[in-house]
Amino acid sequence: MPPRSSPDAVGTRRRRFAPWTETVSRIGLALFFLFVFLVGVKSLETGIGALGEDLVDDVFASVSSPIAGLAAGILATVLVQSSSVTTATIVGLVGSGVLPVEAAVPIVMGANIGTTVTNTLASLGHVRQSAYFERAFAAATVHDYFNILAVIVLLPAEIIFGLISKIASWASSTFDGLLPAVEGSSPIKDAIKAPVGWLADLLEGMGSAGLAGPVLLVTGLALIFVALWQITHQMKTVMSGRIENAINSILSRGAGMGAIIAGLIMTVAVQSSSITTSIMVPLVAAGVLTLANAFPVTLGANLGTTVTALLASVAADSPDALTIALAHVVFNVLGILIFYPFPALRRIPLRLATRTATAAVKRRSMVLVYIVCLFILSPLVIILLA
């Protein structure tokens, strides 16, 4: 039997990543599905526009108040298990003129809370080992508490002063002024619009023009789901192993801005904040990372997931689509600036998560109550009573 330090053994240990040919092909597939995603957003926007005023009335009825919008964002994201799908849909609604930016901002905030259910559920894998579960549940719920605290501070500021929507509008107009003016359509937008136009023409040729709205809307949603799933799958495979290595390398030097940037880059790479934050759960559970070191990675993941809405705004014709995408960025940046730089404020979500985890270990039935009440029951009751 060869010794463990033999070249073969070492070579096996070093063969962590896929061959470069597979990596290139997977990145190519991810880029293709990025195009499919943009086509889906355009199809959704066109379908919504074709449905007319009845849809407008229905959407406004469901988000009749900012609190109802917040609840709708939470519930929608929990149901589809992806804040990216929710925010891309919101961009389509805003881009088609169905939903104004001011009404969409609370829904985006709700999507930020709703996406945390994934890593909370991931922590349940350690439920039978008290010490591991306590650390895992703390790592999961610190994400919940940060987003909830950010909403508690920023939603009133948005309702009273229009803080986030005004900053986003200013940023949108600033970016629009910096970009060179393009007369008519750009080649990228023409390429995105073409498949949607072909489908609409096909329906008209079949004598089903009246069904164009519903068909385009459903097609758009289906393309968004499939495209984001495939982008995440392909990039997760490409980044497998690299993510853990990057986390260990950066966090071994201490937390802080580097960890936030790491969380941001990893989330942009795999197009899923849930993957990044769920990786933190077992690492904290095993004691590899402390809760304090994992926290900034979570904040970076929050910021990284805003890229999906920014990409979706490329497919929309209305400048309001870019505004709501930037509102998502502004909300997360403000949340980080409020809580992270100041040790006293930074400790609030850490302490809340630690105490919740300690209580959950003592009474595990509380975990089910926590998940159902926060992510399902509370938003559902708010929507029904609104």
Side-chain angles (χ1 to χ4, degrees):
M1 179 181 293
R4 290 186 179 181
S5 58
S6 69
D8 289 344
V10 173
T12 301
R13 287 201 302 272
R14 287 178 178 173
R15 202 176 295 126
R16 299 175 184 173
F17 308 133
W20 69 268
T21 50
E22 181 182 341
T23 298
V24 170
S25 64
R26 287 189 179 277
I27 291 174
L29 277 172
L31 291 173
F32 168 75
F33 281 106
L34 175 59
F35 173 74
V36 173
F37 167 73
L38 294 175
V39 172
V41 173
K42 188 63 191 176
S43 179
L44 176 68
E45 181 189 42
T46 306
I48 290 169
L51 288 175
E53 294 182 359
D54 290 341
L55 181 64
V56 175
D57 294 338
D58 290 342
V59 170
F60 279 137
S62 65
V63 291
S64 55
S65 70
I67 302 300
L70 177 73
I74 295 172
L75 196 58
T77 306
V78 169
L79 292 175
V80 300
Q81 281 289 289
S82 172
S83 63
S84 296
V85 172
T86 305
T87 53
T89 305
I90 293 168
V91 168
L93 288 168
V94 173
S96 63
V98 169
L99 199 61
V101 171
E102 293 77 10
V105 169
I107 306 177
V108 168
M109 293 182 178
N112 250 42
I113 294 175
T115 194
T116 65
V117 70
T118 304
N119 50 290
T120 305
L121 293 173
S123 69
L124 300 182
H126 304 278
V127 72
R128 295 189 178 185
Q129 299 169 294
S130 295
Y132 277 69
F133 177 62
E134 184 171 357
R135 292 192 292 265
F137 200 63
T141 54
V142 73
H143 194 192
D144 305 348
Y145 281 119
F146 170 76
N147 283 322
I148 291 169
L149 289 167
V151 167
I152 289 173
V153 173
L154 292 172
L155 182 57
E158 171 63 20
I159 294 171
I160 298 169
F161 305 110
L163 177 66
I164 293 172
S165 52
K166 286 180 180 176
I167 295 174
S169 296
W170 169 82
S172 179
S173 61
T174 301
F175 287 138
D176 188 52
L178 292 174
L179 295 173
V182 179
E183 297 296 331
S185 297
S186 68
I188 294 176
K189 287 199 171 185
D190 286 343
I192 294 168
K193 288 178 181 178
V196 180
W198 297 336
L199 179 57
D201 292 342
L202 177 63
L203 291 170
E204 186 176 352
M206 294 171 60
S208 304
L211 296 175
V215 170
L216 287 171
L217 190 151
V218 171
T219 301
L221 285 173
L223 290 177
I224 289 170
F225 267 103
V226 172
L228 286 175
W229 168 61
Q230 274 296 322
I231 291 169
T232 301
H233 171 69
Q234 300 301 335
M235 293 309 297
K236 181 183 177 183
T237 304
V238 169
M239 297 298 293
S240 180
R242 294 175 172 90
I243 293 180
E244 291 86 347
N245 290 349
I247 291 172
N248 290 332
S249 175
I250 291 169
L251 296 187
S252 63
R253 304 169 195 156
M257 185 56 67
I260 293 176
I261 293 172
L264 187 157
I265 292 173
M266 288 184 290
T267 302
V268 170
V270 299
Q271 280 295 291
S272 173
S273 61
S274 297
I275 290 177
T276 305
T277 54
S278 294
I279 286 172
M280 294 295 101
V281 171
L283 291 176
V284 174
V288 174
L289 295 178
T290 65
L291 182 61
N293 280 352
F295 182 43
V297 180
T298 297
L299 301 184
N302 259 11
L303 196 53
T305 197
T306 63
V307 169
T308 304
L310 290 171
L311 289 172
S313 69
V314 171
D317 292 326
S318 170
D320 285 345
L322 176 59
T323 302
I324 189 59
L326 288 169
H328 195 194
V329 178
V330 170
F331 170 67
N332 282 289
V333 169
L334 288 178
I336 292 171
L337 292 177
I338 290 169
F339 285 98
Y340 193 73
F342 309 102
L345 295 177
R346 187 191 314 154
R347 284 192 289 268
I348 294 174
L350 294 172
R351 285 176 176 171
L352 288 171
T354 301
R355 290 174 183 175
T356 301
T358 301
V361 169
K362 292 178 180 177
R363 183 170 293 181
R364 283 174 170 74
S365 59
M366 174 191 157
V367 176
L368 181 61
V369 173
Y370 173 86
I371 293 172
V372 171
C373 286
L374 176 60
F375 296 109
I376 299 173
L377 193 57
S378 296
L380 191 59
V381 169
I382 290 170
I383 292 171
L384 292 174
L385 294 179

